[in-house]
Amino acid sequence: MADFGAGELDAFRAEVKAWLEANYPAELRDPKIKSDPEAMWGGRAFAGSGDPQIVWMRKMAQKGWTAPTWPKEYGGGGLTPQQARVLDQELAAGRYHAPLASFGIWMLGPVLLEYATEAQKKEYLPKIINGEIRWCQGYSEPGAGSDLASLQTKCEDKGDHWLINGQKIWTSYADKADWCFCLVRTDTTKKHEGISFVLIDMSKPGVETRPIQLISGESPFCETFFTDVQLPKDALVGKVNGGWEIAKRLLQYERQNISGGFGGGGGAGGAAGDLGSIAKTYAGVDEAGRVADHDLRQRVTQNKMNFQALGQTIARTAAEARASNGPSAATSIIKYAAASFAQERSELMVEAMGHQGLGWDGEGYAPGELLAVRGWLRSKGNSIEGGTSEININVVSKRVLGLPDPK
């Protein structure tokens, strides 16, 4: 697509700003009216819902702005990278809710655009854009985590259908998902070349999910079991035994998205609040209004600077990805750095709060204080999900730096 001139972008910005102001549900600005947090994810559970978040999602989807750079022929916005950047800026400036949180948009959709048949694109992409399907990701297995290519979930060709048997683990929100994009083994004689990529309707007979409670008290992950699950032949995306290539591509999008999530949270503060403000509240301030503890002040400042630099890097690489053929192996650099900074932030949060940051429940603790230790515990998974830090370092050494394998 051709670049837009400054005047054209200014006109587009004015159009976007006016449309957002005219179409944003007033209920979402009213703190007294609560939208269901799960509505952000859309899916079958909210079909026909009048929740203000769902109303907002539908309005944005009608414009194609839940997936602004996707082709219009599939329901996307058809915007240029420059226009998409303007839309992002205006959404942030107006403090508008994100219209849709979706693994379909962040991970699956981009690889469908690249690898799916035309019939598959027309079937799934509009439903992803409209928030009709909530997706989960079936990758890791009890014996195939970092060594993902060791996966054993079997997919057998039964002539007129595929038959799936096996188990996945750490499947985020599998108990709430409508569909799963899943890696399966179609050839037991080969490792990487024996994997295929399939789409599974989670309402199919033989699909079972069991939530896993984490040390933080939350249960966002699940065990997922497939017992004689039958899939139509067109549930397979790409080539038979060609799923590893799709898997690697999708992981690049996942790492890019996870890194962006680590970078958010109110100025390097996370759910509990801004880290700098909290340090001042609990550690006190000096005569200049700075955090009184010099060592803590330096580390908090460095963490905030790291997140600022990370945010700029993510924005740059995202723009480069939109202008080229998607994200590169550099997403592994960002994922590694983001996980490290997020864990450091959580540790600083608890340290700054002192004993008030160690509360689990009960009286004597503010809501933000109760989030601190839970957030710290949850952050331990940051260096595992979406590819462990060790795996990402290997990717960087081989794919970015071009270093040889150790002998």
Side-chain angles (χ1 to χ4, degrees), residues 298-354:
Q298 282 191 317
R299 288 183 287 133
V300 167
T301 300
Q302 185 62 58
N303 184 260
K304 290 171 74 73
M305 290 171 62
N306 287 341
F307 269 109
Q308 182 67 30
L310 176 66
Q312 295 294 326
T313 303
I314 291 172
R316 175 173 56 80
T317 55
E320 291 173 350
R322 286 195 291 261
S324 57
N325 294 316
S328 67
T331 55
S332 291
I333 301 175
I334 297 172
K335 167 60 171 59
Y336 175 82
S340 176
F341 298 158
Q343 290 175 336
E344 180 185 63
R345 176 177 63 189
S346 296
E347 292 172 1
L348 286 168
M349 184 74 69
V350 173
E351 179 182 344
M353 288 184 174

Side-chain angles (χ1 to χ4, degrees), residues 106-108 110-112 114-116 137-141 144-151 168 181-185 191-199 237-239 241-256 327-329 331-332 386-387 391-392 395 399:
W106 300 330
M107 294 184 278
L108 177 61
V111 298
L112 289 182
E114 190 171 348
Y115 294 97
Q137 177 185 20
Y139 270 34
S140 296
E141 297 182 4
S146 294
D147 185 14
L148 181 59
S150 294
L151 64 92
K168 297 293 179 177
F181 47 94
C182 190
L183 293 180
V184 293
R185 183 155 298 284
K191 189 174 182 180
H192 297 82
E193 294 80 12
I195 294 170
S196 295
F197 189 96
V198 297
L199 307 178
V237 177
K239 300 176 181 178
N241 298 327
W244 188 245
E245 179 183 346
I246 300 176
K248 291 189 295 182
R249 189 63 160 163
L250 188 143
L251 280 171
Q252 290 180 334
Y253 286 103
E254 180 183 13
R255 288 164 183 166
Q256 177 176 278
S328 67
T331 55
S332 291
I391 291 296
N392 279 303
V395 172
R399 307 299 182 194

Side-chain angles (χ1 to χ4, degrees), residues 155-164 229-233:
C155 176
E156 300 176 90
D157 188 344
K158 295 298 183 179
D160 63 344
H161 67 275
W162 302 104
L163 189 67
I164 311 294
V229 178
Q230 296 186 24
L231 303 182
K233 298 305 288 287

Side-chain angles (χ1 to χ4, degrees), residues 53-234:
Q53 176 64 40
I54 295 297
V55 172
W56 174 231
M57 179 196 73
R58 291 187 187 125
K59 288 183 176 182
M60 287 287 281
Q62 287 172 1
K63 294 281 286 184
W65 286 356
T66 52
T69 61
W70 290 12
K72 285 189 175 182
E73 62 189 291
Y74 305 120
L79 302 185
T80 67
Q82 292 171 298
Q83 290 174 314
R85 175 75 170 158
V86 167
L87 176 60
D88 288 343
Q89 290 171 343
E90 290 304 317
L91 285 168
R95 297 183 179 273
Y96 297 107
H97 285 207
L100 177 63
S102 172
F103 293 159
I105 288 176
W106 300 330
M107 294 184 278
L108 177 61
V111 298
L112 289 182
L113 283 167
E114 190 171 348
Y115 294 97
T117 64
E118 190 62 23
Q120 289 171 328
K121 292 176 185 178
K122 290 180 177 178
E123 171 66 22
Y124 296 108
L125 293 177
K127 292 178 180 179
I128 292 173
I129 291 166
N130 293 326
E132 296 176 32
I133 299 176
R134 181 169 180 174
W135 293 87
C136 64
Q137 177 185 20
Y139 270 34
S140 296
E141 297 182 4
S146 294
D147 185 14
L148 181 59
S150 294
L151 64 92
Q152 296 299 313
T153 294
K154 183 181 290 187
C155 176
E156 300 176 90
D157 188 344
K158 295 298 183 179
D160 63 344
H161 67 275
W162 302 104
L163 189 67
I164 311 294
N165 282 281
Q167 178 187 356
K168 297 293 179 177
I169 198 165
W170 309 122
T171 318
S172 299
Y173 310 112
D175 56 331
K176 297 179 174 65
D178 305 313
W179 283 70
C180 176
F181 47 94
C182 190
L183 293 180
V184 293
R185 183 155 298 284
T186 41
D187 187 338
T188 58
T189 67
K190 301 176 182 178
K191 189 174 182 180
H192 297 82
E193 294 80 12
I195 294 170
S196 295
F197 189 96
V198 297
L199 307 178
I200 302 175
D201 186 338
M202 297 292 280
S203 67
K204 286 274 188 182
V207 178
E208 179 188 0
T209 60
R210 301 175 189 171
I212 302 170
Q213 185 168 345
L214 305 183
I215 193 173
S216 64
E218 298 179 340
S219 300
F221 303 118
C222 295
E223 295 178 284
T224 305
F225 300 89
F226 302 110
T227 306
D228 290 334
V229 178
Q230 296 186 24
L231 303 182
K233 298 305 288 287
D234 62 3

